[in-house]
Amino acid sequence: MAQQQIIKSKWVYTDDTGKLIYKQTKKGDRIADFSFAGYKGGGVTLPYIPAKLTVHPLGDNEDCTNHIQKAIDIVSELPQNAHGFRGAVLLAPGHYVCNGSLQIKADGVVLRGSGSDPSGSVIVMAGGKHTAIILNNKLHQRVGNRIGEISSGEACIKVIDKYIPAGAYKLTVDNVSRLSVGDNIEIRKPVTEKWIKFMKMDNLVRDGKAQTWIKAGKFLITERTIAAIDGNIITLTVPLIDCYDSNYTDDNTTIVVANNVGRLKQCGVENIRIESPAQAVNHSKALYYALRINGEDCWAKDINAMETMESIGIGGRRITLQQVNVIRKALHQGASKPAEFAPNGGQILLDRCSVEGDNIWFAALGAGQTGPIVFLNCTFKGNG
């Protein structure tokens, strides 16, 4: 048997001590450190939260939505401990018919099942169009990484670097008087005609028609946190994925303090199986979706989503999906495709996740998602 050839990257490689070495371009660009993706900024074991209430199935195909939701709401009223947790709701083994969404809207609440196989805790989706489980406090939230606009009333601070390389942690501003260590900030890179042309996005065509997904006048907005301030130089906790070149931004990159994030925090979903009726339709006619998380320092682990469509949608930052699996046997119809994983946020980690299905996007990002977003040891099977 021939010895397997070990391919070594020239851009990122380990030295004799096992430490990663990053090669840089002449301008300083490098592959960014992606280890900050996931719960609590990466490198942190997902917590185990003790159960405060246990729920049992009602049986006889009775709708369990309100039955489970009442338990979630009761735990949501409990005080938070020193780590920000209130407690978990445990679903005993069995089938739970749900005609509506189960929603976690308070910080520090976990919905935990007794296993994601058929003998564990099974959410059986029925009734009208809905998502099985939603983690979102429904408050006004900053969207995070996105393509957006700037309000005329916001106090912007100008970035004065002529070039910030990809993978960098530092940037220079003209005034730090309104900034403090720990501030959440948005870095706003203007979309200009020069940049669109440089990126070769000015002549895209679909079905013979111009296809422009991003237009001049918008801003690519990246969310970061200030780790240190030295003079007018700001150090970020997480590196920038993209470069910032004043030749294409007309010296108009700015930052704004964005501390009022308002996201749901410290919530999770665990050990649950979600079963949807087969949906052999176009995604525009889909009825049942598995999971939506819009939060910060949240997670989902050991989830099996069976036959859901556009199954997992993520917003916010510092979120881990661990062993979340989507299995689609019904063939999706139509040329346009659903995205089974849509990790539209920052510092998102998908660890040992999988999708099985045909005529789908296994994963897709919306416009303006600068990450970091990591797919680690994930598996995708099918004609997708």
Side-chain angles (χ1 to χ4, degrees):
M1 183 176 179
Q3 185 175 6
Q4 185 177 2
Q5 182 182 5
I6 298 176
I7 299 174
K8 183 176 180 180
S9 168
K10 69 177 182 179
W11 292 105
V12 183
Y13 55 91
T14 54
D15 63 12
D16 294 338
T17 67
K19 182 180 179 180
L20 283 176
I21 304 298
Y22 291 83
K23 181 181 176 181
Q24 296 184 0
T25 67
K26 291 180 179 179
K27 288 186 175 182
D29 298 287
R30 47 165 279 186
I31 294 174
D33 182 348
F34 280 81
S35 65
F36 297 96
Y39 174 77
K40 285 291 184 177
V44 177
T45 301
L46 295 178
Y48 177 83
I49 311 306
K52 299 295 184 179
L53 286 176
T54 300
V55 177
H56 296 270
L58 295 176
D60 298 326
N61 294 318
E62 187 173 347
D63 183 10
C64 294
T65 307
N66 292 336
H67 181 53
I68 300 171
Q69 189 63 53
K70 182 177 180 181
I72 294 173
D73 293 344
I74 290 172
V75 173
S76 298
E77 293 296 325
L78 298 177
Q80 293 174 265
N81 64 18
H83 302 289
F85 296 112
R86 303 178 197 270
V89 173
L90 176 63
L91 301 181
H95 284 61
Y96 299 81
V97 175
C98 289
N99 292 337
S101 300
L102 303 173
Q103 300 186 54
I104 295 176
K105 296 179 285 186
D107 295 347
V109 178
V110 174
L111 179 62
R112 179 185 303 121
S114 299
S116 60
D117 58 30
S119 63
S121 302
V122 183
I123 302 295
V124 180
M125 300 189 73
K129 179 177 181 177
H130 68 279
T131 300
I133 303 170
I134 299 173
L135 277 61
N136 191 339
N137 60 16
K138 301 298 183 183
L139 298 176
H140 171 70
Q141 303 180 16
R142 283 188 177 268
V143 178
N145 295 351
R146 65 192 186 277
I147 292 177
E149 298 177 347
I150 291 180
S151 170
S152 59
E154 290 185 304
C156 296
I157 301 169
K158 187 175 181 179
V159 176
I160 60 176
D161 298 282
K162 293 299 182 182
Y163 190 85
I164 303 172
Y169 286 84
K170 298 180 184 293
L171 54 85
T172 310
V173 297
D174 66 351
N175 186 351
V176 297
S177 63
R178 299 194 300 273
L179 301 176
S180 301
V181 172
D183 275 346
N184 194 64
I185 61 172
E186 291 181 349
I187 305 165
R188 298 171 167 189
K189 176 180 180 177
V191 176
T192 63
E193 295 287 358
K194 289 186 293 185
W195 183 79
I196 293 172
K197 187 173 182 179
F198 170 72
M199 295 296 292
K200 301 187 186 301
M201 295 188 293
D202 58 323
N203 56 0
L204 302 178
V205 177
R206 180 178 182 181
D207 296 330
K209 299 179 181 179
Q211 182 76 11
T212 304
W213 63 269
I214 182 170
K215 296 181 179 180
K218 300 286 187 179
F219 289 82
L220 287 165
I221 299 173
T222 299
E223 186 178 31
R224 290 294 185 265
T225 301
I226 297 177
I229 300 175
D230 183 8
N232 279 29
I233 299 175
I234 296 170
T235 301
L236 308 173
T237 57
V238 178
L240 296 167
I241 304 302
D242 199 4
C243 67
Y244 292 71
D245 190 338
S246 61
N247 289 324
Y248 300 102
T249 61
D250 296 331
D251 290 321
N252 288 323
T253 296
T254 58
I255 68 172
V256 65
V257 177
N259 286 327
N260 56 332
V261 178
R263 297 190 186 109
L264 187 74
K265 295 183 178 180
Q266 298 281 45
C267 292
V269 184
E270 307 170 349
N271 311 339
I272 291 175
R273 184 181 184 88
I274 300 169
E275 293 185 354
S276 162
Q279 301 185 83
V281 297
N282 184 270
H283 60 89
S284 62
K285 297 181 180 179
L287 288 178
Y288 302 121
Y289 315 94
L291 177 64
R292 297 290 184 267
I293 299 176
N294 193 340
E296 188 169 303
D297 293 325
C298 296
W299 70 91
K301 71 174 183 179
D302 188 23
I303 307 293
N304 283 334
M306 316 299 294
E307 300 295 347
T308 54
M309 194 180 291
E310 295 182 340
S311 300
I312 315 294
I314 306 298
R317 68 175 176 176
R318 296 199 299 262
I319 296 172
T320 292
L321 303 181
Q322 187 178 93
Q323 293 178 292
V324 176
N325 309 298
V326 177
I327 300 175
R328 297 274 308 278
K329 299 296 184 182
L331 181 63
H332 172 261
Q333 304 297 311
S336 62
K337 300 174 177 64
E340 296 309 326
F341 280 102
N344 292 317
Q347 297 173 259
I348 309 298
L349 171 63
L350 290 85
D351 174 21
R352 290 165 288 165
C353 296
S354 71
V355 181
E356 181 178 337
D358 292 332
N359 197 34
I360 58 176
W361 299 117
F362 299 128
L365 303 182
Q369 297 303 323
T370 55
I373 300 169
V374 173
F375 292 80
L376 177 64
N377 296 326
C378 294
T379 304
F380 304 108
K381 298 179 181 179
N383 182 19

